[in-house]
């Protein structure tokens, strides 16, 4: 069974965000992840984390104007100064929380956008962010996200993510493999993990197609967990799913999936 981190953006929504750290700890999690802590002072988030006795293993950089539909700044021409400021903000929180990995969202392409221009901006911004994170030994992550989930999102495939990674040329830039998005977009989960096992920086899971608990749908997570072990993945697996009901009521999969027979 891999090391599991509760995603506090999606899980434990029965209580306000500050209380989700303790709720995750009571449910047996020793680690958490979440999209954005920036609505709260970093010292407060650190206090909630410390009181619950959990560690935060992943956060995202500020994504731009989320309420207006923005989903990241990294590939957006003309927003470079804002992107650099977002790196500084994220590192402030990462220092306070002890977070070792930061995910930077690519952004939504406007209609008629010049894809090559956006890619060039993406590469240069990634080089900048990777350099800034390297100073404190942190890993920068990019994640392909399915068009079904985020129409117009710049980065959707594992192939494109690894091409970008190679072009950036930074050792601390790795790919975040969300099994849900891989299955929806490409389907080759085994290839995504096995073929690039040395540059997989984080893994996330959810049932497909409804993004509920990983004990339902078309992905055999017993197989996926065995695969992670076979390739030597020793990182965290983020549980980025929307519970069918109360979070606690759906956690039985944590003990049953690992015991299933795989063929």
């Amino acid at each position: 069974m891999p090391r599991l981190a509760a995603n506090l953006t999606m899980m434990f929504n029965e209580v306000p965000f500050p209380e989700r750290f303790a709720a995750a700890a009571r449910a047996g999690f020793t680690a958490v992840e979440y999209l954005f802590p920036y609505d709260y002072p970093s010292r407060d988030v650190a206090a909630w984390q410390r009181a619950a006795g959990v560690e935060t293993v992943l956060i995202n950089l500020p994504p731009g104007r989320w309420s207006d539909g923005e989903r990241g700044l990294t590939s957006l021409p003309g927003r470079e100064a804002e992107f650099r400021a977002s790196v500084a903000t994220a590192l402030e929180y990462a220092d306070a929380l002890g977070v070792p990995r930061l995910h930077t969202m690519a952004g939504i392409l406007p209609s008629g956008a010049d894809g090559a221009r956006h890619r060039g901006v993406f590469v240069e911004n990634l080089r900048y962010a990777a350099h800034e994170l390297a100073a404190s030994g942190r890993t920068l992550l990019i994640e392909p996200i399915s068009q079904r989930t985020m129409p117009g999102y710049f980065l959707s495939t594992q192939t494109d993510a690894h091409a970008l990674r190679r072009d950036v040329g930074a050792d601390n830039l790795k790919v975040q493999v969300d099994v849900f998005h891989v299955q929806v977009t490409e389907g080759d989960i085994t290839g995504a993990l096995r073929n690039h096992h040395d540059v997989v920086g984080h893994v996330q899971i959810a049932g497909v197609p409804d993004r509920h608990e990983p004990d339902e749908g078309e992905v055999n997570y017993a197989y996926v967990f065995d695969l992670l072990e076979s390739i030597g993945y020793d990182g965290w697996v983020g549980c980025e799913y929307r519970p069918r009901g109360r979070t606690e009521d759906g956690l039985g999969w944590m003990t049953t999936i690992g015991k299933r027979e795989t063929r």
Side-chain angles (χ1 to χ4, degrees), residues 36 38-39 61-74 76-80 82-83 86 105 107-108 110:
F36 314 113
Y38 308 110
D39 286 341
L61 269 65
R65 297 183 291 270
W66 185 270
S67 61
D68 292 337
E70 290 192 333
R71 296 296 182 264
L73 302 170
T74 324
L76 303 187
R79 306 286 291 277
E80 290 87 349
E82 188 177 349
F83 174 77
S86 80
M105 298 188 73
I108 304 289

Side-chain angles (χ1 to χ4, degrees), residues 43-67:
R43 64 180 180 276
D44 290 350
V45 184
W48 304 329
Q49 172 185 300
R50 186 168 54 251
V54 297
E55 60 179 303
T56 297
V57 298
L58 174 70
I59 60 173
N60 288 1
L61 269 65
R65 297 183 291 270
W66 185 270
S67 61

Side-chain angles (χ1 to χ4, degrees), residues 17 34-42 45 59-63 86-94 97 102-103:
F17 181 76
Y34 35 91
L35 295 185
F36 314 113
Y38 308 110
D39 286 341
Y40 307 93
S42 59
V45 184
I59 60 173
N60 288 1
L61 269 65
S86 80
V87 173
T89 297
L91 282 172
E92 178 217 325
Y93 276 78
L97 302 171
L102 300 176
H103 168 224

